[in-house]
Structure formats: C-alpha cells, structure tokens
Amino acid sequence: MSVCLSVCLITQTIMEKYLSVCLCLSVCLSVCLSVCLSVCLSMSVCLCICLSVCLSVYLSVCLSVYLSVCLSVYLSVCLSIYVCLSVYLSVCLSICLSVCLSVCVSVCLSVYLCLSVCVSVCLSVYLSICLSVCLSVCLSVYLSVCLSICLSVCLSVCLSVCLSVYLSVCLSICLSVCLPVLSIYLSICLYVCLSVCMYI
C-alpha cells in the first residue's frame, strides 16, 4: 500500500513536472512564435520597404538612363535624318532646278526660233505681197497716166506736125502743079478770047 502510494506520488510529481514543462514549453513556444511572428512581420515590412525603395530607385535610374539613351539616340537619329533629308532635298532641288532651267531655256529658244522664223516668213510674204500689189498698182497707174499723157501729147504733136507737113507738101505740090496748068489754061483762055474778038 505504501508502495502504491509512493508510486502514485511519484507519478503525480512526474505528471506535475511534465505539466509544468509542457506549460513552460507552451509559453516558450507562444513567446517564440510571437517573437518570430513579430520579427517576420518586421522583416517583411522592412523587406517591402526595401523592395519598394529599391524598385523606385531602380526604376528611376533605369528610366533616367533609358530616357537619356533613348533621347540621345532619338536626337542623333533625327539629326541624321534631318541632315540626310536636307542633303537629299538640296540635291533634288539643284537637279530639278538645273533640269527645269535647261528645259525652259531650250523651250524658250525653240519658241523664239519658231517665232522668229514665223515672223520672218510672214514679213517676207507680207512684204512680197505688198510690194507686188503696190508695184502692180503703181505701175498700172503710172503706165496708164504716162500712156494717156504720152498719147495725147504725141498725138497732138504728131497731128500738128503731120498736118503742117501735109499742108506744106500739098501746097507746094499744088502750087508746083497748078501754077503751070493755070498759066496754060489762062493763056489758052486769053488766046481763045483774043481770037474770038478778032473774028468779031
């Protein structure tokens, strides 16, 4: 009986010790867990803050670097494109201007030559027609006037000369022929008259 009591006491003490140890362990575990949780929470908060700060710094640096590089590359590309475009435009403008000037000069020269040829031909035709018409009209008028004047003058002169010559010739012939005939006739008439008178 005493042994049983002693065993019971021993088991009771062991159980009490076990319970105390369990209580201690549970308290320690709870404290450790709370500490660990608090530490983990603080670490997570610190990690979050560090990550956010690092990300912000990284993003700002990356953005600044990217923007600077991209801006420099963009500006260089834009400058090169502008230079190329300016060179291209200047070359194209010079070529276009030279070609257009040459074409315009050739067209103007051809038009000028055509106009000069047309004007010369028209002037020559016009002058030839005008000269021929003027010459024909002037010659016809001049010839008609001259012929009328010449015919009138020549006819009058010729008629006067011819009449004078004719009259002088006729008179001379008449006088040369008619005077002997008249003298013979008169002599015959006188002779007849005298003979008749003597017979009476």
Side-chain angles (χ1 to χ4, degrees):
M1 192 69 183
S2 63
V3 170
C4 284
L5 282 171
S6 65
V7 168
C8 282
L9 284 171
I10 289 168
T11 53
Q12 188 178 359
T13 54
I14 289 169
M15 286 296 290
E16 286 178 357
K17 285 183 180 180
Y18 179 74
L19 284 173
S20 66
V21 167
C22 283
L23 282 172
C24 285
L25 279 173
S26 65
V27 169
C28 284
L29 279 174
S30 65
V31 169
C32 285
L33 277 173
S34 65
V35 168
C36 282
L37 282 173
S38 65
V39 168
C40 284
L41 280 173
S42 65
M43 288 293 290
S44 67
V45 168
C46 286
L47 277 174
C48 285
I49 292 171
C50 286
L51 277 174
S52 65
V53 169
C54 288
L55 273 173
S56 65
V57 170
Y58 176 76
L59 284 175
S60 66
V61 170
C62 284
L63 276 174
S64 64
V65 170
Y66 178 75
L67 282 175
S68 66
V69 170
C70 284
L71 276 174
S72 65
V73 170
Y74 178 74
L75 285 174
S76 66
V77 169
C78 285
L79 279 173
S80 64
I81 289 171
Y82 176 74
V83 169
C84 290
L85 276 175
S86 65
V87 169
Y88 175 75
L89 284 175
S90 65
V91 169
C92 284
L93 276 174
S94 64
I95 291 172
C96 285
L97 280 174
S98 64
V99 170
C100 288
L101 277 175
S102 65
V103 169
C104 284
V105 166
S106 65
V107 168
C108 287
L109 279 175
S110 64
V111 168
Y112 176 73
L113 286 174
C114 288
L115 280 175
S116 66
V117 169
C118 286
V119 166
S120 65
V121 168
C122 289
L123 273 175
S124 65
V125 169
Y126 178 74
L127 284 175
S128 65
I129 291 172
C130 284
L131 279 174
S132 65
V133 169
C134 285
L135 280 175
S136 64
V137 169
C138 289
L139 275 174
S140 65
V141 170
Y142 178 73
L143 283 175
S144 66
V145 170
C146 284
L147 278 174
S148 65
I149 292 172
C150 285
L151 280 175
S152 64
V153 171
C154 287
L155 277 174
S156 64
V157 169
C158 284
L159 279 174
S160 65
V161 170
C162 286
L163 276 174
S164 64
V165 169
Y166 178 74
L167 285 175
S168 65
V169 168
C170 283
L171 278 173
S172 66
I173 290 170
C174 282
L175 284 174
S176 65
V177 169
C178 288
L179 275 175
V181 169
L182 275 173
S183 65
I184 292 169
Y185 179 72
L186 284 174
S187 66
I188 290 171
C189 282
L190 278 173
Y191 179 71
V192 168
C193 283
L194 284 173
S195 66
V196 168
C197 283
M198 282 184 70
Y199 281 116
I200 291 171

